[in-house]
Amino acid sequence: MRDIVLIGLNHKTASVDVRECIAFTTEETERALKALGAHPAIGESVLFSTCNRIELLMAADEGLSAISAAKQFLATFKDVPLSQFESSLYQYVGEDAVRHTFQVAASLDSMVVGEPQILGQMKEAYRKATLEKTSGVILNKLLHRTFFVAKKVRTETGIGDHAVSISYAAIELGKKIFGDLAGKRVMLIGAGEMAELAVEHLIRNRVGAITVANRTFARGVELAERFSGQAIKFEEIVDFIKDVDIVISSTGATGYVLRREQIKDAMRNRRNRSLFFIDIAVPRDIDPAINRINNAYVYDIDDLKGIVDDNIEDRQREAVKAQRIIDEAVIGFRKWYDTLAVVPTIVSLRGKVEALARQELEKTLATLDHLPDADKQAVKRMTDALVNKILHEPTRFLKKNGCYGDKSVSLDLTRKLFNLD
């Protein structure tokens, strides 16, 4: 049987400098898979490459030889000395490789436990491998099972629940305040990465009008257009505040962008409607003294970090449940994998054919009561002889070394043809 092996490095074992040297572009991945498919020491292969990990999953006749070949392949293909990244590599064989693959897909091995992006990235990597025909019977089965396990973890645990990023936590806080963000009007002060992430979460929560204020007006217009919002100039912030429900601020300013006096004047035009400020900037954009104004509420990044820290603990607790699901899945995959061994397949095949022959023989003999016992025994001997002759060539074929190629393909096909599972 082929060994399942995996080598790789990730954010835990390698610095970003090392990961950048080994990372594969889309075009490089296609070329790499072609080369791996032709490598004599590597039978099947799937290559994962993201900003946080580069992994090569393989099925090979000799696992250790495949690992050695894969290390040298990475060094040669990326033109980086093996000594520069070998100490950052991890390697898994057999059940450990299977378990690691399940854990990665379920985001238990991610920088942020529970993040959903890795599953989509793995599916894309598998799609490329199937296009290049480098994934065969074993890795096909493993990755189909991997995607099933990841979905089960996502639906049966709370590993993806709760905010674990500051921008997402800001939106979750808004939901707690209002109960529902649908239709709520939002002002974003600043148009950087944090603001972009916040807007994406806001859109998913079906907020109402989005107003973007940025010191560089062109950048504010660019962000507003992407989300069908309105861009205003920094000088207009106070004028527009009377019309919004939530203000999220994330600029790089060194002092307060909004002060108590400005908001006190603006609140007179709001007719006691509550206004919530969520300040995710460091240093802070929103004067904390605004909290002393009636119906004005300010939350800063420390408040949000407390939410994030609590939620990370929640996810870690859910990760324990996820690990149980994965452990059960590893056992299930092992059972399938063991059936690909020659002897169990031959035993199952013979058992199936003999059971069918016995069943038909009993039916026939039940209608031939007039036959003497000697004749009935002769019919039984003939049936046994037929079973042996029918199974002789398939058994001989399966026992042959390699079955004219990849043994796992022949064994898997045999089990499917005769419905042995």
Side-chain angles (χ1 to χ4, degrees):
M1 279 298 299
R2 283 183 163 175
D3 293 328
I4 298 173
V5 293
L6 180 145
I7 67 165
L9 48 81
N10 61 19
H11 58 282
K12 298 175 186 175
T13 67
S15 67
V16 66
D17 293 340
V18 173
R19 300 200 305 275
E20 284 175 346
C21 290
I22 307 301
F24 286 76
T25 64
T26 299
E27 186 271 332
E28 285 177 331
T29 299
E30 292 170 1
R31 286 197 292 116
L33 287 170
K34 283 185 173 70
L36 289 164
H39 201 295
I42 299 170
E44 302 177 30
S45 57
V46 177
L47 178 63
F48 307 121
S49 183
T50 71
C51 58
N52 284 331
R53 74 178 62 249
I54 299 94
E55 294 186 347
L56 184 53
L57 177 64
M58 299 168 285
D61 294 332
E62 293 290 338
L64 294 179
S65 297
I67 288 173
S68 178
K71 288 180 181 179
Q72 197 54 55
F73 171 82
L74 289 175
T76 303
F77 189 93
K78 297 301 297 184
D79 194 23
V80 177
L82 182 57
S83 58
Q84 192 169 319
F85 65 89
E86 188 172 20
S87 61
S88 300
L89 289 172
Y90 45 79
Q91 61 187 53
Y92 298 104
V93 178
E95 283 190 11
D96 291 335
V98 173
R99 180 175 285 101
H100 177 78
T101 303
F102 289 167
Q103 288 171 333
V104 170
S107 78
L108 293 185
D109 194 57
S110 297
M111 187 176 287
V112 177
V113 171
E115 60 89 8
Q117 288 84 2
I118 187 64
L119 181 58
Q121 292 165 336
M122 289 183 74
K123 286 182 176 179
E124 178 59 19
Y126 175 56
R127 186 186 71 82
K128 289 175 183 172
T130 56
L131 288 175
E132 298 299 334
K133 296 182 172 58
T134 61
S135 182
V137 169
I138 292 175
L139 295 192
N140 285 345
K141 183 74 171 184
L142 173 57
L143 286 164
H144 287 164
R145 193 66 189 168
T146 295
F147 303 146
F148 172 81
V149 170
K151 183 178 179 182
K152 187 173 183 179
V153 166
R154 181 74 48 180
T155 55
E156 294 187 11
T157 74
I159 198 168
D161 297 345
H162 313 299
V164 290
S165 71
I166 293 297
S167 58
Y168 185 28
I171 309 309
E172 289 294 293
L173 179 59
K175 285 168 69 175
K176 286 182 180 178
I177 291 165
F178 288 100
D180 184 6
L181 293 181
K184 298 301 178 188
R185 293 163 297 182
V186 180
M187 177 184 288
L188 287 175
I189 303 177
E193 183 182 356
M194 294 279 269
E196 284 194 51
L197 291 170
V199 169
E200 289 173 5
H201 295 309
L202 287 167
I203 296 296
R204 282 198 286 271
N205 283 279
R206 305 184 310 281
V207 294
I210 296 176
T211 303
V212 180
N214 194 57
R215 287 197 189 279
T216 305
F217 184 63
R219 171 63 183 145
V221 170
E222 181 187 334
L223 182 59
E225 285 179 346
R226 281 175 53 193
F227 300 101
S228 303
Q230 175 188 12
I232 62 172
K233 295 194 173 181
F234 236 59
E235 297 77 17
E236 300 178 284
I237 290 175
V238 176
D239 295 332
F240 277 80
I241 268 182
K242 68 179 186 299
D243 299 319
V244 302
D245 301 296
I246 303 171
V247 176
I248 300 176
S249 190
S250 61
T251 77
T254 54
Y256 295 141
V257 172
L258 291 175
R259 295 186 175 276
R260 183 174 184 272
E261 296 75 21
Q262 295 171 297
I263 303 306
K264 190 173 182 180
D265 292 338
M267 291 297 287
R268 292 194 183 100
N269 298 317
R270 293 182 57 83
R271 299 178 182 176
N272 295 321
R273 284 188 297 113
S274 296
L275 178 58
F276 290 85
F277 297 87
I278 300 176
D279 188 352
I280 53 179
V282 178
R284 288 178 292 181
D285 285 339
I286 311 296
D287 184 353
I290 291 172
N291 253 326
R292 297 202 297 270
I293 301 172
N294 287 338
N295 298 315
Y297 306 89
V298 180
Y299 296 87
D300 62 25
I301 199 162
D302 284 346
D303 299 318
L304 297 174
K305 277 183 176 174
I307 295 170
V308 168
D309 290 344
D310 289 344
N311 290 344
I312 287 174
E313 286 184 19
D314 288 341
R315 284 197 178 190
Q316 293 294 348
R317 281 192 291 272
E318 292 301 306
V320 175
K321 299 178 189 175
Q323 192 59 60
R324 174 177 47 78
I325 293 171
I326 286 172
D327 289 342
E328 290 171 357
V330 170
I331 294 168
F333 182 82
R334 181 75 222 184
K335 287 179 180 176
W336 171 83
Y337 186 75
D338 287 343
T339 65
L340 290 184
V342 173
V343 172
T345 298
I346 291 173
V347 169
S348 295
L349 177 60
R350 175 166 286 278
K352 179 104 181 224
V353 175
E354 285 179 342
L356 289 171
R358 211 165 34 246
Q359 188 179 7
E360 294 306 314
L361 177 63
E362 287 170 1
K363 277 189 201 173
T364 302
L365 291 179
T367 64
L368 299 173
D369 284 341
H370 61 282
L371 284 182
D373 285 344
D375 290 345
K376 288 181 180 180
Q377 290 302 318
V379 173
K380 287 181 180 178
R381 285 195 298 274
M382 182 191 72
T383 303
D384 292 340
L386 274 173
V387 168
N388 288 330
K389 286 184 181 296
I390 289 169
L391 291 176
H392 175 70
E393 287 301 330
T395 302
R396 187 165 159 270
F397 174 81
L398 292 172
K399 282 184 174 179
K400 273 193 174 181
N401 186 29
C403 297
Y404 307 119
D406 184 351
K407 186 175 290 189
S408 61
V409 173
S410 299
L411 292 169
D412 188 55
L413 182 59
T414 300
R415 301 194 73 85
K416 285 176 180 174
L417 281 173
F418 291 93
N419 196 23
L420 301 183
D421 295 322

